Amino acid sequence: MTTTPLAALRAKSEKSEKRAAEDKAALLAAAVAEAITSTRFGHLSAVARESGITSQYLRTLVEAEHPGWLDRAAAQREADKAKAQKAGAKRAA
């Protein structure tokens, strides 16, 4: 039994594994960057779905890289909602 083909396959496998880890890290970084571009309801979930990761995992990554962003985004959505309701009440009057 010769070890040359096995050693070559192992080296190729290790190289592929390293490349996959680098690609995954790039994907996760891009997903976090895209997720924080909008505070719209459902935006983070849509980014997670497009990235092929769970929403909760993306939330965890966002919170780790941008502490407090999720809370600020929720507050912004509530403020926008209140503003829209107030504007609707003025039009109705």
Side-chain angles (χ1 to χ4, degrees):
M1 182 160 142
T2 174
T3 60
T4 304
L6 292 177
L9 287 172
R10 186 182 80 212
K12 186 176 180 179
S13 173
E14 289 170 353
K15 184 178 177 183
S16 296
E17 188 176 346
K18 182 181 178 196
R19 174 62 190 226
E22 290 169 352
D23 290 346
K24 182 71 170 193
L27 170 67
L28 296 177
V32 169
E34 176 62 29
I36 64 169
T37 62
S38 175
T39 60
R40 278 189 348 249
F41 183 79
H43 177 72
L44 189 139
S45 295
V47 171
R49 194 170 32 258
E50 186 176 344
S51 301
I53 59 178
T54 65
S55 296
Q56 187 56 50
Y57 184 48
L58 184 53
R59 284 182 180 87
T60 300
L61 294 173
V62 167
E63 191 60 29
E65 290 191 36
H66 304 278
W69 186 88
L70 294 171
D71 291 334
R72 290 190 302 277
Q76 181 64 47
R77 282 192 302 274
E78 288 299 317
D80 291 346
K81 188 171 148 183
K83 186 177 177 181
Q85 287 175 344
K86 190 174 182 180
K90 285 184 179 180
R91 277 183 263 174

